[in-house]
Amino acid sequence: MNKIAAIIPFKEKSLGLKGKNFKKISNLHLYEITLLQALNSKKINKVYISTDTKKILKKYKNNPKISIIERPKKYCRKESSTEDAILHLLNNSDLQKYYNTLVLLQVTSPLRKKLDIDSAIKYFNKKKLDSLFSANLLEDFLFWAEQNKKLKSLNYDYRKRDIRQNRKKQFLENGSLYVFNIEKFLKEKNRLFGNIGFYCMDLWQQFEIDNFEDYKFCKEVFKLYRKKIL
């Protein structure tokens, strides 16, 4: 039987926007929004929070559906990756013993709809994937990059500009959620591997919070779609 756990990793300190994981939208901290979404899932059996924040460690210690794993400071540096936090969790908890699939939820992407988590898991199982990421279809974005001090068009040829309908579909990895096999993650030490699939979200769900402008914008989007989110 496929038993599923979720990990919600967040640190007390953050880059770009000070204390961003504790900013509020609709009277909820960002981490609380993601936690509620995980707890409301019908497919997630347990939620693991990986954090260095002492007050969080105390706040949820008596909730049977939540397990708090204190993350050491060496995995909370600015160069530390989310994969570091996942590996620490897997090596310092009972998660591997009881679960074979892990859902990664990032608190700076609060615009998930109510059914997104369960729909993504259902698709993951149906397609027999090894790993999955949430994405948005980009139809009207034309990308350029600077190479050797010159601009180069990346996803189209500006000399042969075609109509939008004829362009290849491209997808943005939006960072909202990931689903992956735990045993294979431990071998790859990466959230994406093997047979990779994606779960497509609405365009308004692509935004994440890295700075104050992002935060102000996401607050307004959240208000517009609150009934779909919580």
Side-chain angles (χ1 to χ4, degrees), residues 1-228:
M1 184 177 177
N2 188 21
K3 294 201 69 178
I4 302 166
I7 175 173
I8 302 176
F10 62 92
K11 299 179 289 187
E12 189 157 2
K13 294 182 179 179
S14 54
L15 297 172
L17 177 60
K18 186 177 180 180
K20 68 181 177 182
N21 297 319
F22 301 92
K23 294 290 184 185
K24 284 192 172 184
I25 293 180
S26 292
N27 293 319
L28 291 168
H29 296 290
L30 283 186
Y31 77 85
E32 289 178 312
I33 293 171
T34 294
L35 181 58
L36 280 174
Q37 291 167 338
L39 291 174
N40 288 335
S41 165
K42 294 179 180 179
K43 295 186 178 295
I44 291 174
N45 304 109
K46 192 165 186 178
V47 181
Y48 290 78
I49 296 176
S50 170
T51 187
D52 61 335
T53 308
K54 299 294 184 183
K55 61 184 178 182
I56 301 299
L57 299 173
K58 296 177 181 178
K59 186 174 181 179
Y60 297 109
K61 67 179 182 179
N62 295 321
N63 189 319
K65 282 204 71 176
I66 302 172
S67 183
I68 311 293
I69 303 298
E70 184 172 5
R71 199 189 322 171
K73 294 296 182 185
K74 66 178 180 179
Y75 298 129
C76 296
R77 300 177 183 136
K78 62 180 181 180
E79 65 271 17
S80 300
S81 69
T82 302
E83 272 74 5
D84 290 334
I86 298 170
L87 285 167
H88 174 262
L89 169 66
L90 292 174
N91 292 324
N92 292 275
S93 70
D94 61 354
L95 197 154
Q96 290 186 63
K97 184 178 178 181
Y98 299 106
Y99 306 100
N100 46 33
T101 300
L102 191 60
V103 179
L104 166 62
L105 301 170
Q106 303 195 127
V107 303
T108 49
S109 297
L111 303 178
R112 302 176 197 89
K113 289 189 288 188
K114 292 176 183 177
L115 298 178
D116 277 338
I117 295 173
D118 285 356
S119 296
I121 293 170
K122 184 178 179 180
Y123 184 80
F124 175 86
N125 289 331
K126 180 181 177 181
K127 295 296 182 179
K128 298 180 180 180
L129 300 172
D130 296 312
S131 58
L132 170 147
F133 63 92
S134 56
N136 301 98
L137 173 63
L138 300 183
E139 294 185 290
D140 297 313
F141 292 82
L142 303 176
F143 295 105
W144 290 71
E146 194 172 41
Q147 296 180 1
N148 299 320
K149 298 184 178 180
K150 290 184 179 181
L151 285 173
K152 182 179 180 181
S153 55
L154 297 180
N155 64 338
Y156 81 113
D157 186 344
Y158 72 92
R159 292 160 298 194
K160 299 176 183 178
R161 189 182 295 263
D162 205 350
I163 61 173
R164 175 177 59 84
Q165 288 80 1
N166 289 341
R167 295 181 199 137
K168 289 182 179 180
K169 288 184 178 180
Q170 295 194 323
F171 299 90
L172 169 72
E173 181 183 335
N174 64 26
S176 180
L177 66 88
Y178 298 85
V179 186
F180 48 86
N181 176 277
I182 293 172
E183 184 179 355
K184 292 179 181 179
F185 171 86
L186 288 167
K187 294 177 182 176
E188 300 291 338
K189 296 180 173 53
N190 192 306
R191 72 190 78 177
L192 294 175
F193 48 81
N195 184 16
I196 302 172
F198 68 89
Y199 170 75
C200 203
M201 292 179 160
D202 293 337
L203 195 61
W204 59 267
Q205 296 178 275
Q206 70 179 287
F207 304 102
E208 58 182 323
I209 298 171
D210 291 317
N211 55 51
F212 188 66
E213 291 302 315
D214 295 336
Y215 170 57
K216 289 196 298 182
F217 183 77
C218 281
K219 281 178 73 174
E220 296 305 313
V221 175
F222 194 98
K223 288 178 186 177
L224 285 172
Y225 294 99
R226 194 182 195 283
K227 288 184 179 180
K228 290 187 175 183

